[in-house]
Amino acid sequence: MSVTDLSLLNQIKGRLGWLDDRQRVIAQNVANSDTPGYGARDLKVPTDFAKALDNNRNVRVMTTHAAHIAPNTPTIRHTVNRAPDSETTLDGNSVVVEEQMLKMAESRMAYDAAIGFYQKSMQMIRLAARKPGAG
């Protein structure tokens, strides 16, 4: 088992990927802030696995071999949603640059938090893997 197989690190990786995609969508919104008829978009929040199981108790995880360990995290597909209009100009553009900047700052803070969590997790793994008594 390698370090990259740990579910915690895979979850952090998934979160970072979602945040990266969200930043890309926000950047497209800002780039199209003067485009007539362009509607602001945002990514749908990833589904919580526990909620998905609660909503559908008939979910079965399949494996190809009896010795395989069943995965406990779903594959998250990012879907882009048209954001609700808070303000629409006469030309039909619904991008409010100030709102996009707030979303970008929020995503950046979440990204920094996830990176910090990843770094702390790696430090704990290194500490656990050290030979006892090694300084």
Side-chain angles (χ1 to χ4, degrees), residues 8 10 18-19 21 46 56 73 77 83 92 96 105 109 117 124-125:
L8 172 66
N10 284 332
W18 183 83
L19 288 166
D21 289 345
N56 186 359
T73 56
R77 300 277 182 229
V96 179
M109 287 188 301
F117 193 59
M124 287 185 352
I125 290 169

Side-chain angles (χ1 to χ4, degrees), residues 7 9 12 15-16 21 27 29 35 39-40 50 54 65 78 83-84 86-88 90 93 95 121 125 132:
S7 64
L9 298 181
I12 294 171
R15 177 70 173 166
L16 290 171
D21 289 345
N29 287 343
T35 304
D54 285 341
H65 190 274
H78 305 311
S86 64
E87 211 176 282
T88 303
L90 292 176
N93 188 302
V95 177
S121 299
I125 290 169

Side-chain angles (χ1 to χ4, degrees), residues 16-114:
L16 290 171
W18 183 83
L19 288 166
D20 180 51
D21 289 345
R22 186 169 192 227
Q23 287 285 67
R24 191 171 292 115
V25 169
I26 292 169
Q28 289 172 353
N29 287 343
V30 172
N32 287 294
S33 63
D34 290 331
T35 304
Y38 185 84
R41 302 179 314 163
D42 200 356
L43 285 184
K44 182 178 178 183
V45 177
T47 306
D48 181 28
F49 187 69
K51 279 185 186 178
L53 283 179
D54 285 341
N55 291 340
N56 186 359
R57 298 221 180 254
N58 296 326
V59 173
R60 301 275 186 247
V61 178
M62 297 182 69
T63 58
T64 57
H65 190 274
H68 289 172
I69 297 174
N72 61 356
T73 56
T75 302
I76 298 172
R77 300 277 182 229
H78 305 311
T79 57
V80 178
N81 292 341
R82 193 167 175 141
D85 298 345
S86 64
E87 211 176 282
T88 303
T89 59
L90 292 176
D91 64 1
N93 188 302
S94 67
V95 177
V96 179
V97 177
E98 292 82 8
E99 287 179 7
Q100 299 304 312
M101 293 297 109
L102 287 172
K103 288 179 184 180
M104 191 171 283
E106 174 188 285
S107 293
R108 179 61 193 191
M109 287 188 301
Y111 193 88
D112 289 343

Side-chain angles (χ1 to χ4, degrees), residues 2-4 6-13 16 112-130:
S2 98
V3 174
T4 58
L6 295 174
S7 64
L8 172 66
L9 298 181
N10 284 332
Q11 289 175 354
I12 294 171
K13 181 180 171 184
L16 290 171
D112 289 343
I115 289 291
F117 193 59
Y118 177 82
Q119 290 171 338
K120 290 293 182 185
S121 299
M122 290 304 294
Q123 287 174 357
M124 287 185 352
I125 290 169
R126 285 187 201 106
L127 181 65
R130 256 197 277 174

